[in-house]
């Protein structure tokens, strides 16, 4: 009996070791979520599909038959990176900035789950169901590919990604639909802490990078929200705010141009690089 117990424990230990071995510490994974600016509102330009290093990967969170992408699989990060027909997003140039500056043996993977026009409450697993029930008609088509639960889908694919690499950070761009909401930082904290718990992460090792909305300098309609976003590190010690100053908008006061997304994405990347270099 003792011998059988010993053999069983040895086999279990071997399985754990093999599982750990399959996870590549040099494959850095980033989870990205939010509303339309994270989803990608600008039309892709020719330059955005050129010279993409195959060290920059994306895991599709939805099935896209027309482009040959399946949910839960990795692909070179050729845009669009959110859903099948979304546009350019800060995530595109976030990833490019990382692979251009990290050692050649490091790969970068991103997962982008975003829904245009949504409040942060959509990503709170305790309020998602009621939010979806009252969601406007135009949002239904964006929710359906996520089976009406974007948070659950993000966790689902993130767990698949963890078999291949290590989650190093979380990117957020959301706030326009919560403009003036003084409780926004607390609501973001709930989502962040749920992700940390559900994925077995440590907050001190997984920073949250939150981007500003279109600012006053660009006549942003929701620019006042940036004052609230600025206080996020007071609520989440591992949070950092990415400035949008100077990032051009497309004329509606809400969404950045393609150039604006490139600038903002590079800033996300530069901030993450500085964090990675910090002892």
């Amino acid at each position: 009996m003792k011998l059988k117990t010993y053999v069983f424990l040895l086999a279990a230990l071997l399985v754990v070791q093999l599982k750990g071995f399959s996870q590549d510490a040099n494959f850095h994974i980033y989870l990205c979520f939010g509303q339309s600016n994270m989803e990608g509102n600008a039309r892709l330009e020719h330059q955005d599909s050129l010279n993409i290093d195959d060290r920059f990967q994306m895991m599709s969170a939805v099935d896209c038959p027309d482009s040959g992408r399946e949910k839960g699989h990795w692909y070179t990060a050729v845009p669009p990176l959110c859903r099948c027909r979304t546009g350019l997003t800060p995530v595109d140039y976030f990833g490019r900035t990382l692979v251009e500056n990290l050692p050649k043996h490091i790969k970068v993977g991103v997962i982008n789950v975003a829904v245009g026009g949504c409040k942060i409450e959509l990503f709170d697993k305790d309020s998602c169901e009621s939010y979806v029930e009252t969601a406007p008609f135009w949002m239904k088509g964006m929710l359906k590919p996520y089976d009406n639960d974007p948070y659950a889908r993000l966790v689902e694919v993130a767990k698949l990604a963890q078999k291949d690499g290590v989650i190093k950070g979380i990117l957020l761009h959301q706030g326009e639909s919560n403009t003036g909401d003084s409780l926004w930082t607390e609501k973001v904290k709930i989502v962040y802490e749920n992700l940390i718990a559900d994925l077995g992460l440590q907050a001190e090792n997984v920073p949250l990078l939150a981007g500003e909305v279109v600012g006053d300098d660009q006549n942003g309609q929701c620019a006042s929200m940036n004052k609230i976003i600025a206080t996020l590190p007071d609520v989440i010690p591992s949070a950092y705010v990415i400035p949008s100053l100077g990032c051009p908008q497309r004329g509606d006061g809400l969404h950045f141009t393609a150039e604006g997304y490139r600038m903002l994405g590079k800033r996300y990347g530069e901030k993450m690089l500085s964090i990675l270099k910090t002892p």
Side-chain angles (χ1 to χ4, degrees):
M1 182 61 71
K2 288 184 178 180
L3 179 60
K4 288 183 178 180
T5 301
Y6 175 78
V7 171
F8 175 80
L9 290 174
L10 185 62
L13 180 61
L14 180 60
V15 169
V16 171
Q17 288 177 331
L18 288 174
K19 183 177 179 182
F21 182 76
S22 67
Q23 187 183 54
D24 184 358
N26 293 320
F27 189 12
H28 296 184
I29 296 166
Y30 296 89
L31 310 182
C32 314
F33 73 102
Q35 58 180 111
S36 56
N37 277 315
M38 180 59 80
E39 183 182 75
N41 190 265
R43 181 173 296 180
L44 298 169
E45 297 178 2
H46 182 60
Q47 63 179 296
D48 301 317
S49 297
L50 299 177
N51 303 316
I52 300 173
D53 194 317
D54 61 8
R55 290 165 49 228
F56 180 25
Q57 298 277 303
M58 62 85 72
M59 177 177 277
S60 186
V62 298
D63 291 324
C64 294
D66 292 346
S67 59
R69 289 178 176 176
E70 296 180 23
K71 180 185 74 172
H73 292 265
W74 291 109
Y75 304 92
T76 300
V78 177
L81 301 187
C82 188
R83 295 190 308 281
C84 310
R85 294 180 177 84
T86 50
L88 193 68
T89 160
V91 182
D92 286 280
Y93 285 83
F94 164 77
R96 291 187 184 208
T97 300
L98 289 186
V99 296
E100 287 171 4
N101 291 277
L102 288 171
K104 297 299 182 182
H105 67 279
I106 301 292
K107 295 192 301 179
V108 173
V110 295
I111 300 170
N112 189 343
V113 174
V115 176
C118 76
K119 291 186 176 182
I120 193 64
E121 286 86 344
L122 178 63
F123 288 93
D124 183 338
K125 57 185 179 180
D126 293 328
S127 62
C128 176
E129 184 176 357
S130 60
Y131 191 99
V132 170
E133 287 176 354
T134 59
F137 175 79
W138 52 263
M139 192 182 288
K140 300 290 186 181
M142 293 182 275
L143 293 168
K144 187 175 180 181
Y146 302 125
D147 291 331
N148 294 321
D149 195 336
Y151 177 85
R153 178 60 57 83
L154 181 58
V155 170
E156 175 190 351
V157 290
K159 287 182 177 179
L160 293 175
Q162 283 182 299
K163 297 177 181 179
D164 302 316
V166 179
I167 295 174
K168 302 290 283 188
I170 300 172
L171 278 60
L172 168 68
H173 198 287
Q174 194 281 330
E176 294 91 345
S177 294
N178 287 85
T179 297
D181 183 355
S182 61
L183 296 178
W184 180 82
T185 55
E186 294 293 341
K187 294 173 182 178
V188 171
K189 182 179 181 182
I190 289 172
V191 179
Y192 174 70
E193 290 184 345
N194 282 341
L195 284 171
I196 294 297
D198 290 342
L199 295 172
L201 305 172
Q202 298 294 322
E204 59 269 24
N205 298 326
V206 185
L208 174 67
L209 279 58
E212 290 183 338
V213 301
V214 177
D216 277 323
D217 67 302
Q218 298 293 321
N219 299 313
Q221 286 194 35
C222 303
S224 62
M225 187 62 188
N226 286 337
K227 293 180 180 179
I228 295 175
I229 295 173
T231 67
L232 191 60
D234 297 334
V235 178
I236 303 174
S238 52
Y240 299 84
V241 175
I242 310 303
S244 66
L245 183 68
C247 296
Q249 54 107 345
R250 58 180 297 178
D252 60 4
L254 295 170
H255 301 104
F256 299 98
T257 62
E259 180 57 24
Y261 286 126
R262 295 183 196 110
M263 293 170 63
L264 194 61
K266 184 178 180 180
R267 291 174 186 176
Y268 273 99
E270 289 172 343
K271 173 52 69 176
M272 193 64 219
L273 287 167
S274 71
I275 295 170
L276 290 173
K277 292 178 182 177
T278 302

